[in-house]
Amino acid sequence: MSPAINLKTVTNNVGWSVLAKTTTFGLKFVTVPLLARILSPEEFGVVAVAHTVVLFLTMVGSAGLAASLVLGRDLESETLHSVFWANLLMACALATGLYVWADILAELLGAADAAFLVRVMAFLIPIQLCGDVAYSLLARNMAFGKDATWSVLSESIGAMTALGLAFLGWGVWALVAQLFVSAVVRLAGLFYASRYRPRLVMSFGKLRGLAKFSLGVMGSEIFNFITFQSPLVIISRHLGLADAGAYSAANRFSSIPNQVVQSALMGVLFPAFSHMNEDRARRSHALMLSTQVSTVFLAPMMFGIWAIAEPGMLLIFGPQWAYAWPILGLLALSKGILTPCSTFIPYLKGAGQSNVLWWVAVIRAILVYGCVTYGVMTGGLVEAMIWLCVANALTLVGYSWAVFRTDGTAFLSGLYVTSRPMVTALIMAIAVRFLLDHIKEDVPSAVLQVIVCGLAGSIIYAILVLLTERELMRKLLQLLRKRQVPEASVGSGS
């Protein structure tokens, strides 16, 4: 039986997820810069390209079936086992195809030298897909504390393995080993935490019952993947592995705030929204509140990275990567533009609107692919990132329209309320950037520049939020007071 969903349940699980992501953030904050100092941009680029293929096929192989397990009201063991074996059979087929056609795929991606890594990393696909059912059971039961524990453990062991091998001179294999070690440890942890044990049971009838929703989710995930990974492929094909490595390193670091906050929220909110399907008003209120809160926390992180990208790149990645600071800044800016969308995917999935999710993902993928390609062909890496910002701005408007229309919320008022914290964060970032330009000569140290600008940005943003988001602050204080009351639920407190 699924647990009751109330404010305490959601905040506890978000807390566990954020703790796990924060720990992962700490590891990446340390390991990515260290690895960047040991390894070359070409080595980062070749692994990034090979991993792109694996991630895409893993997403295809899951076919959205695991998400259906979270949404379903009652699950039978026959359904669980059928999904497990369907995932595993698909994973083995995809891994075999990837191994056989590795040379062709690597050539198509503009990285022929990555073919040998593509073959090796094909074995990641079955390892990753085997844990889908176990994770879905944890998510369905809102047991994110268990998932957080194993996520932290797997990422820690993987990161330490990569650093150890890199210092020993293993080069690109250090990054490959990190992926395999993390995947194996996480798989073992998911089975242990969920207590799920597969049995040799298969029912095509059960799979057909999940098909409609799962295919919509699969389609949206495929096009979301294209959105996230197509810039790397375009850059690799047209600008070379060195630029692909610069993009990959900057993208890894600029993605950390999203991985800490956004992915934690998305994982928890999907099952939470699915439990609210019988109460539309409560679900609508939860959508607006969660979107505002996530934007308040995420937007200043992303725009803040843009503001201090120049000294930040030098400080974190070292002199050999200093030239790529505009890439880091523009990537952070592009992600900051989308912060109001952080809750839209779990909302549409939880509401069972996989068809809307699919169409939005298709349009967004076309926008990103077209804009980045135009930027690469007419300029270079910096121009491509500028056009990525344009694509994301258009995505924000389109995504908001689709979600608010589904929810029955007025588009303009909904967009204004959810985007207001983003605008506030952007004003703060512009002020910090102005400050940085005026203290460069007097404060030549990159460390001091980051510290001074970080403190100034925090103060400016805090003042602006208190001036513009007083109603939200009052609402959050009310929810915090009610959190101790068992009956207090996610949608209350309006």
Side-chain angles (χ1 to χ4, degrees), residues 5-7 282 482-490 492:
I5 302 299
N6 52 44
L7 179 64
R282 180 182 174 214
K482 292 182 179 181
R483 187 181 182 277
Q484 302 303 319
V485 181
E487 292 76 15
S489 57
V490 176
S492 65

PDB file of all heavy atoms in Angstrom, residues 5-7 282 482-490 492:
ATOM      1  N   ILE A   5       0.391  10.826   1.565  1.00  0.00           N
ATOM      2  CA  ILE A   5       1.242  11.921   1.122  1.00  0.00           C
ATOM      3  C   ILE A   5       0.817  13.199   1.823  1.00  0.00           C
ATOM      4  O   ILE A   5      -0.260  13.720   1.586  1.00  0.00           O
ATOM      5  CB  ILE A   5       1.149  12.106  -0.398  1.00  0.00           C
ATOM      6  CG1 ILE A   5       1.554  10.815  -1.111  1.00  0.00           C
ATOM      7  CG2 ILE A   5       2.020  13.259  -0.849  1.00  0.00           C
ATOM      8  CD1 ILE A   5       2.973  10.383  -0.839  1.00  0.00           C
ATOM      9  N   ASN A   6       1.660  13.681   2.729  1.00  0.00           N
ATOM     10  CA  ASN A   6       1.412  14.940   3.405  1.00  0.00           C
ATOM     11  C   ASN A   6       2.688  15.768   3.382  1.00  0.00           C
ATOM     12  O   ASN A   6       3.712  15.350   2.820  1.00  0.00           O
ATOM     13  CB  ASN A   6       0.918  14.709   4.838  1.00  0.00           C
ATOM     14  CG  ASN A   6       1.846  13.781   5.616  1.00  0.00           C
ATOM     15  OD1 ASN A   6       3.068  13.921   5.559  1.00  0.00           O
ATOM     16  ND2 ASN A   6       1.270  12.819   6.325  1.00  0.00           N
ATOM     17  N   LEU A   7       2.607  16.948   3.969  1.00  0.00           N
ATOM     18  CA  LEU A   7       3.746  17.862   3.917  1.00  0.00           C
ATOM     19  C   LEU A   7       4.993  17.244   4.527  1.00  0.00           C
ATOM     20  O   LEU A   7       6.091  17.358   3.989  1.00  0.00           O
ATOM     21  CB  LEU A   7       3.386  19.163   4.643  1.00  0.00           C
ATOM     22  CG  LEU A   7       4.501  20.213   4.681  1.00  0.00           C
ATOM     23  CD1 LEU A   7       4.841  20.683   3.277  1.00  0.00           C
ATOM     24  CD2 LEU A   7       4.105  21.382   5.557  1.00  0.00           C
ATOM     25  N   ARG A 282      -5.790  20.758  -4.966  1.00  0.00           N
ATOM     26  CA  ARG A 282      -4.595  20.527  -4.146  1.00  0.00           C
ATOM     27  C   ARG A 282      -3.362  20.352  -5.037  1.00  0.00           C
ATOM     28  O   ARG A 282      -2.292  20.888  -4.756  1.00  0.00           O
ATOM     29  CB  ARG A 282      -4.817  19.288  -3.282  1.00  0.00           C
ATOM     30  CG  ARG A 282      -3.660  18.934  -2.368  1.00  0.00           C
ATOM     31  CD  ARG A 282      -4.003  17.660  -1.621  1.00  0.00           C
ATOM     32  NE  ARG A 282      -2.877  17.183  -0.835  1.00  0.00           N
ATOM     33  CZ  ARG A 282      -2.600  15.907  -0.627  1.00  0.00           C
ATOM     34  NH1 ARG A 282      -3.376  14.982  -1.155  1.00  0.00           N
ATOM     35  NH2 ARG A 282      -1.569  15.549   0.096  1.00  0.00           N
ATOM     36  N   LYS A 482       2.753  24.242  10.278  1.00  0.00           N
ATOM     37  CA  LYS A 482       1.824  23.116  10.164  1.00  0.00           C
ATOM     38  C   LYS A 482       2.529  21.781   9.967  1.00  0.00           C
ATOM     39  O   LYS A 482       1.897  20.734  10.050  1.00  0.00           O
ATOM     40  CB  LYS A 482       0.867  23.342   8.990  1.00  0.00           C
ATOM     41  CG  LYS A 482      -0.108  24.476   9.204  1.00  0.00           C
ATOM     42  CD  LYS A 482      -1.047  24.581   8.016  1.00  0.00           C
ATOM     43  CE  LYS A 482      -2.064  25.701   8.228  1.00  0.00           C
ATOM     44  NZ  LYS A 482      -3.016  25.801   7.096  1.00  0.00           N
ATOM     45  N   ARG A 483       3.830  21.819   9.688  1.00  0.00           N
ATOM     46  CA  ARG A 483       4.548  20.588   9.371  1.00  0.00           C
ATOM     47  C   ARG A 483       4.484  19.564  10.497  1.00  0.00           C
ATOM     48  O   ARG A 483       4.520  18.356  10.271  1.00  0.00           O
ATOM     49  CB  ARG A 483       6.011  20.913   9.051  1.00  0.00           C
ATOM     50  CG  ARG A 483       6.801  19.718   8.534  1.00  0.00           C
ATOM     51  CD  ARG A 483       8.243  20.104   8.252  1.00  0.00           C
ATOM     52  NE  ARG A 483       8.977  18.986   7.713  1.00  0.00           N
ATOM     53  CZ  ARG A 483       9.518  18.030   8.451  1.00  0.00           C
ATOM     54  NH1 ARG A 483       9.408  18.065   9.764  1.00  0.00           N
ATOM     55  NH2 ARG A 483      10.178  17.030   7.887  1.00  0.00           N
ATOM     56  N   GLN A 484       4.371  20.059  11.720  1.00  0.00           N
ATOM     57  CA  GLN A 484       4.328  19.149  12.859  1.00  0.00           C
ATOM     58  C   GLN A 484       2.967  18.498  13.044  1.00  0.00           C
ATOM     59  O   GLN A 484       2.824  17.557  13.813  1.00  0.00           O
ATOM     60  CB  GLN A 484       4.702  19.905  14.148  1.00  0.00           C
ATOM     61  CG  GLN A 484       6.074  20.562  14.085  1.00  0.00           C
ATOM     62  CD  GLN A 484       7.172  19.573  13.773  1.00  0.00           C
ATOM     63  OE1 GLN A 484       7.169  18.447  14.310  1.00  0.00           O
ATOM     64  NE2 GLN A 484       8.112  19.948  12.931  1.00  0.00           N
ATOM     65  N   VAL A 485       1.969  19.019  12.308  1.00  0.00           N
ATOM     66  CA  VAL A 485       0.619  18.466  12.424  1.00  0.00           C
ATOM     67  C   VAL A 485       0.470  17.356  11.382  1.00  0.00           C
ATOM     68  O   VAL A 485       0.647  17.586  10.196  1.00  0.00           O
ATOM     69  CB  VAL A 485      -0.454  19.549  12.173  1.00  0.00           C
ATOM     70  CG1 VAL A 485      -1.845  18.978  12.325  1.00  0.00           C
ATOM     71  CG2 VAL A 485      -0.230  20.710  13.144  1.00  0.00           C
ATOM     72  N   PRO A 486       0.117  16.105  11.780  1.00  0.00           N
ATOM     73  CA  PRO A 486       0.056  14.995  10.847  1.00  0.00           C
ATOM     74  C   PRO A 486      -0.859  15.222   9.658  1.00  0.00           C
ATOM     75  O   PRO A 486      -0.637  14.752   8.577  1.00  0.00           O
ATOM     76  CB  PRO A 486      -0.437  13.819  11.693  1.00  0.00           C
ATOM     77  CG  PRO A 486      -0.052  14.190  13.101  1.00  0.00           C
ATOM     78  CD  PRO A 486      -0.162  15.673  13.166  1.00  0.00           C
ATOM     79  N   GLU A 487      -1.956  15.978   9.869  1.00  0.00           N
ATOM     80  CA  GLU A 487      -2.917  16.152   8.785  1.00  0.00           C
ATOM     81  C   GLU A 487      -2.492  17.192   7.754  1.00  0.00           C
ATOM     82  O   GLU A 487      -3.108  17.336   6.717  1.00  0.00           O
ATOM     83  CB  GLU A 487      -4.283  16.573   9.335  1.00  0.00           C
ATOM     84  CG  GLU A 487      -4.979  15.502  10.147  1.00  0.00           C
ATOM     85  CD  GLU A 487      -4.391  15.359  11.538  1.00  0.00           C
ATOM     86  OE1 GLU A 487      -3.653  16.249  11.958  1.00  0.00           O
ATOM     87  OE2 GLU A 487      -4.657  14.325  12.189  1.00  0.00           O
ATOM     88  N   ALA A 488      -1.446  17.949   8.055  1.00  0.00           N
ATOM     89  CA  ALA A 488      -1.035  18.994   7.117  1.00  0.00           C
ATOM     90  C   ALA A 488      -0.552  18.357   5.829  1.00  0.00           C
ATOM     91  O   ALA A 488       0.286  17.493   5.834  1.00  0.00           O
ATOM     92  CB  ALA A 488       0.111  19.827   7.733  1.00  0.00           C
ATOM     93  N   SER A 489      -1.088  18.780   4.717  1.00  0.00           N
ATOM     94  CA  SER A 489      -0.766  18.160   3.440  1.00  0.00           C
ATOM     95  C   SER A 489      -0.108  19.155   2.519  1.00  0.00           C
ATOM     96  O   SER A 489      -0.051  20.349   2.772  1.00  0.00           O
ATOM     97  CB  SER A 489      -2.025  17.581   2.776  1.00  0.00           C
ATOM     98  OG  SER A 489      -2.976  18.598   2.611  1.00  0.00           O
ATOM     99  N   VAL A 490       0.408  18.605   1.399  1.00  0.00           N
ATOM    100  CA  VAL A 490       1.187  19.425   0.469  1.00  0.00           C
ATOM    101  C   VAL A 490       0.395  20.600  -0.052  1.00  0.00           C
ATOM    102  O   VAL A 490       0.907  21.680  -0.240  1.00  0.00           O
ATOM    103  CB  VAL A 490       1.650  18.538  -0.699  1.00  0.00           C
ATOM    104  CG1 VAL A 490       2.369  19.376  -1.741  1.00  0.00           C
ATOM    105  CG2 VAL A 490       2.555  17.440  -0.195  1.00  0.00           C
ATOM    106  N   SER A 492      -2.031  22.326   1.327  1.00  0.00           N
ATOM    107  CA  SER A 492      -2.640  23.215   2.305  1.00  0.00           C
ATOM    108  C   SER A 492      -1.804  24.453   2.513  1.00  0.00           C
ATOM    109  O   SER A 492      -0.680  24.547   2.098  1.00  0.00           O
ATOM    110  CB  SER A 492      -2.830  22.480   3.635  1.00  0.00           C
ATOM    111  OG  SER A 492      -1.574  22.139   4.172  1.00  0.00           O
TER     112      SER A 492
END
